[in-house]
Amino acid sequence: MEVERRYAGGGCLTNAGWTLDHRQERRHQKEGLDQRTHFERDRDRLLYSSAFHRLAGITQIVRAGEANVFHTRQQHTLKVAQVGRRLAQKLAKEQKRAGIFRGLDPEVVEAACLAHDLGHPPFGHVGEHTLNELVTKHDDDGFEGNAQSFRIMTKLAIRFPEVNGIDMTRATLAACLKYPWYRGKTGKEAKKWSVYKSEQEDFDFAREHHANHSEKTLEAELMDWADDVAYSVHDLEDFHRCNALPWQKVFAEKDKIISHANRSHPVGEHRLDAAYERLKGFLEGTYTELLSEPYDGTREQREQLRRMTSQLIGTYIGAIRINEDRSSNVAVTFNSDYVDEVHILKQITRDYIIGSPTLAAQQFGQQRIIRDLFEALTSSTDNSIGYPPFLPIRLRYLRPMAGTSPARFVADCIAGLSESEAIALHSRLTGAVTGSVLDPIVR
């Protein structure tokens, strides 16, 4: 039976279990009242957190600091948050009753977008995969960037003297669960997961009103799509600006792109072929001059590039709608044509940028840094204190939070470094650079 209630304070309730009161609850209630709503506080706490600040020194695709042309993980996150907020505002206007039923607040969506990459370790996905391999040998939960983000918010971040974490509302925590399950042995649960068993109490709190299914909440779905849209477009923009995208090959190697895209997005080559042709028609029809000439940064090229990315993002924001079927736990529906096009854009980046030998060489060295740091921090523990005597002071508070899992502690330490800190600490520990005793490296 449909349930809707309106509270005196103007808040609206969704369905019987996902009320505004439930959505605003915090596990610890460590806050004072001010002019902001509960969800505005969530957004602000994330924006001011040390974990968010660290993202300025974390890779998106190319190493942070490589050149000003490339997005850092923080710049990517800010654009995801902008797309997510505008998307939430759009749907709240166009599908007001559905948004009320499912639970929709632009502040929650923006907060989840700001939080979605907090757990990314140095060197992005390369660092994530390497840490997962190393941690899994000692801890079945392994390492996953999404699960680490949830761990940071609920346990590792510092805000209050009495409790760990930054005490997010239930709605924001649920919106951050892109893969709302623990690591499994097989299937999708073995590939991606959003929580470690060490955060079970926080996970149960976040999913209390969605415990009977494993679908994302509406706000988590919007965060996830905003992420897909933002990086599928701005990564192409970055590599076009540095003349790294061979558009002639992109337009000539359709079969390769479609075949590869069908592996990660298995919807059938006929659909992906149609998506490729739509994109090609749009790009060649409107932006032939931009894509056929070397990018020199002229005013005309910059204007065309901005217009192209704006049109793509504007189009793909329209791909997602709130599911009006209230009997379904699936919160959204998608325009499959737009979803297919986004996957083609992502595949272009994978084939022509991520697969390049120059980037592969850089990533090989980055994996070595992660492995060496993991080995140094694991093998040099002073049992009387529980960590190596050379461990930077800022990281020492993490040891008791890892409980009986030394590998989790080491992963927390490494994942809490910026890339410049990881490189500097590695250089110091391997003797490549002796450094100064006055430089703590990690501040």
Side-chain angles (χ1 to χ4, degrees), residues 37-316:
T37 67
H38 291 276
F39 302 140
E40 287 171 342
R41 291 191 190 94
D42 285 354
R43 181 257 184 202
D44 293 349
R45 288 181 190 179
L46 288 161
L47 188 66
Y48 279 82
S49 68
S50 298
F52 181 79
H53 182 79
R54 183 187 69 94
L55 295 180
I58 299 296
T59 291
Q60 174 61 13
I61 291 181
V62 175
R63 179 178 61 84
E66 178 92 359
N68 290 333
V69 69
F70 298 114
H71 283 74
T72 65
R73 188 66 60 169
Q74 187 186 74
Q75 290 167 326
H76 159 73
T77 297
L78 289 170
K79 291 189 176 182
V80 173
Q82 184 271 332
V83 172
R85 185 179 188 88
R86 297 294 177 243
L87 176 55
Q89 291 171 331
K90 174 179 181 290
L91 293 179
K93 291 178 182 178
E94 294 177 353
Q95 296 181 271
K96 183 176 180 180
R97 290 178 64 82
I100 290 171
F101 180 80
R102 298 276 181 189
L104 176 58
D105 191 304
E107 294 289 343
V108 173
V109 176
E110 183 176 3
C113 291
L114 290 173
H116 86 282
D117 269 349
L118 293 181
H120 258 292
F123 316 122
H125 290 295
V126 169
E128 180 183 26
H129 296 154
T130 305
L131 273 179
N132 181 47
E133 175 191 334
L134 295 167
V135 175
T136 299
K137 296 175 182 178
H138 309 277
D139 186 321
D140 289 342
D141 275 348
F143 182 90
E144 215 286 342
N146 293 281
Q148 192 70 16
S149 296
F150 193 75
R151 180 170 168 82
I152 288 169
M153 287 187 294
T154 58
K155 188 166 291 183
L156 305 186
I158 297 173
R159 175 66 176 79
F160 303 102
E162 304 94 343
V163 298
N164 296 322
I166 50 179
D167 198 25
M168 297 281 96
T169 62
R170 190 195 309 272
T172 296
L173 288 176
C176 294
L177 293 169
K178 183 176 178 179
Y179 309 102
W181 52 77
Y182 299 101
R183 188 182 195 180
K185 298 293 185 182
T186 59
K188 65 180 183 180
E189 291 86 359
K191 296 178 180 178
K192 303 293 288 184
W193 58 99
S194 281
V195 62
Y196 306 128
K197 292 184 180 67
S198 53
E199 280 68 66
Q200 180 179 348
E201 291 183 0
D202 295 293
F203 178 74
D204 289 346
F205 172 79
R207 294 285 297 184
E208 180 179 347
H209 301 283
H210 299 84
N212 64 331
H213 64 86
S214 60
E215 297 292 340
K216 296 189 282 286
T217 65
L218 170 60
E219 290 154 331
E221 290 277 15
L222 299 187
M223 173 273 288
D224 192 14
W225 182 242
D227 184 26
D228 275 357
V229 170
Y231 82 71
S232 68
V233 173
H234 70 51
D235 284 351
L236 288 182
E237 176 188 0
D238 285 355
F239 291 106
H240 176 77
R241 289 172 65 196
C242 65
N243 292 300
L245 267 175
W247 286 107
Q248 289 185 335
K249 292 183 69 176
V250 170
F251 294 142
E253 298 179 343
K254 177 176 77 170
D255 291 345
K256 181 184 83 168
I257 295 170
I258 290 171
S259 175
H260 292 174
N262 196 43
R263 296 175 193 170
S264 59
H265 180 58
V267 296
E269 293 192 2
H270 64 289
R271 268 180 52 176
L272 294 170
D273 184 282
Y276 176 95
E277 291 296 338
R278 288 192 300 272
L279 278 171
K280 183 179 179 182
F282 167 72
L283 295 172
E284 286 191 321
T286 310
Y287 298 101
T288 302
E289 184 176 344
L290 174 67
L291 302 183
S292 61
E293 298 178 350
Y295 185 84
D296 298 317
T298 66
R299 188 187 190 283
E300 292 76 14
Q301 288 177 327
R302 292 167 65 193
E303 183 277 326
Q304 287 186 57
L305 188 58
R306 287 284 177 263
R307 180 154 41 92
M308 182 182 77
T309 57
S310 178
Q311 285 182 289
L312 288 171
I313 291 173
T315 296
Y316 298 139

Side-chain angles (χ1 to χ4, degrees), residues 377 380-393 395-403 406 409 413:
L377 295 177
S380 305
T381 298
D382 180 337
N383 291 329
S384 67
I385 54 177
Y387 49 78
F390 55 73
L391 186 72
I393 292 174
L395 302 175
R396 296 181 180 184
Y397 83 100
L398 296 169
R399 184 60 192 94
M401 296 186 188
F409 165 61
C413 290

